[in-house]
Amino acid sequence: SEEDHWSNIRQQERLHSVFIGYEMSQATGIWSGELPHVALSILHQHAIQADMTELQLATVRWLAYSRTQPGVDPRVLYKLLTALENTWPVEVLSREEEEWLANSFNIFLDYSLQLIKKHRILFPPHHRQSMSRLEHLLRCLGLLSSMKAYWKVCPFNKEVRGEIIQSLKKGTQEWYEEQHKGMAGMRADPDTRILALVKLITAFIVDLQRGIDYYNGLFESTN
């Protein structure tokens, strides 16, 4: 029955989550996303028994991996999004499956926007691995914004690029308030205030230059 089929799909997702969780617990640093042969064999056998389509499998993989986003290399998520989009025109999902997918897209987008808002701290420009993660995270968002699957299941969402811009603006505002907080608490004598103002302006200039040198090109080229 349709209910049994839906139950099997959820079970496949739970199996993925169990295997992914175990592999992540064994990994040091960012996990590559590769599952061992035994796990893949079990998942494959279950998918055959459940008579799952390629689109359903692509959806399940995306759901399971994106749920563990902090510990998964964004390059893995990009491949999963690509696989999902490639199967989208060929097959269809049920309403429940589309709602499930829409929820995962929204969770992924919200979490990614939070990371972007704090990009100064989370993705320092002189840390190559961090900048690579930021680049591939932005590539995921760029792909998401053009996916037929995304707009089919999330038709009322705002444009992803606009959401990224808003996150950057909010992040900059919060960064400024944090910088200004230190100045506001200083004594009122003119010399101290002038020194604090110079320090604040210097921080602005450094941040602006860092944005031009490292971040701007990355954001422009990936979205």
Side-chain angles (χ1 to χ4, degrees):
S1 70
E2 189 173 320
E3 187 175 334
D4 289 338
H5 190 58
W6 173 237
S7 176
N8 284 331
I9 292 171
R10 296 298 298 264
Q11 190 175 44
Q12 172 81 192
E13 192 270 337
R14 285 193 293 271
L15 283 171
H16 266 88
S17 295
V18 169
F19 291 135
I20 290 168
Y22 177 77
E23 292 302 315
M24 286 182 64
S25 71
Q26 302 300 304
T28 54
I30 300 298
W31 177 48
S32 68
E34 293 293 325
L35 291 175
H37 179 71
V38 173
L40 292 174
S41 296
I42 293 171
L43 291 168
H44 179 67
Q45 189 62 37
H46 180 271
I48 291 174
Q49 291 174 349
D51 195 27
M52 293 178 64
T53 67
E54 284 301 314
L55 178 56
Q56 287 170 334
L57 279 171
T59 300
V60 162
R61 291 185 190 113
W62 161 255
L63 284 158
Y65 276 88
S66 64
R67 187 172 293 167
T68 56
Q69 185 183 358
V72 178
D73 192 325
R75 284 175 289 192
V76 176
L77 299 179
Y78 185 86
K79 289 178 183 177
L80 293 169
L81 282 174
T82 302
L84 177 58
E85 182 69 354
N86 287 341
T87 55
W88 188 262
V90 182
E91 300 165 356
V92 295
L93 296 176
S94 68
R95 189 182 67 179
E96 290 88 351
E97 290 161 359
E98 286 192 359
E99 289 174 354
W100 201 31
L101 181 58
N103 186 53
S104 78
F105 281 154
N106 287 325
I107 291 172
F108 172 73
L109 180 58
D110 289 345
Y111 182 78
S112 298
L113 293 174
Q114 288 299 315
L115 296 182
I116 288 170
K117 190 168 70 169
K118 300 175 182 176
H119 71 277
R120 291 173 175 84
I121 299 169
L122 299 177
F123 307 106
H126 298 295
H127 192 277
R128 183 178 297 178
Q129 188 178 21
S130 294
M131 289 299 284
S132 176
R133 279 180 62 78
L134 176 59
E135 177 186 353
H136 288 93
L137 175 65
L138 291 171
R139 289 190 185 282
C140 285
L141 293 175
L143 175 58
L144 190 69
S145 70
S146 65
M147 287 174 62
K148 295 182 181 69
Y150 175 71
W151 290 112
K152 173 65 168 62
V153 301
C154 302
F156 303 112
N157 279 18
K158 297 177 182 177
E159 289 288 340
V160 175
R161 181 178 173 82
E163 294 283 87
I164 292 172
I165 291 170
Q166 286 303 311
S167 286
L168 289 172
K169 287 181 177 178
K170 288 178 184 176
T172 299
Q173 178 68 28
E174 290 176 6
W175 176 84
Y176 166 77
E177 289 171 357
E178 192 65 31
Q179 299 296 316
H180 186 262
K181 196 184 296 180
M183 178 181 170
M186 289 187 171
R187 298 194 310 274
D189 62 275
D191 288 346
T192 303
R193 302 289 287 181
I194 289 171
L195 285 173
L197 182 59
V198 169
K199 185 178 179 182
L200 186 62
I201 292 171
T202 302
F204 284 164
I205 294 171
V206 170
D207 185 68
L208 182 61
Q209 191 63 52
R210 188 176 290 162
I212 293 170
D213 291 344
Y214 299 101
Y215 294 117
N216 186 62
L218 203 56
F219 278 92
E220 287 294 332
S221 65
T222 51
N223 277 274

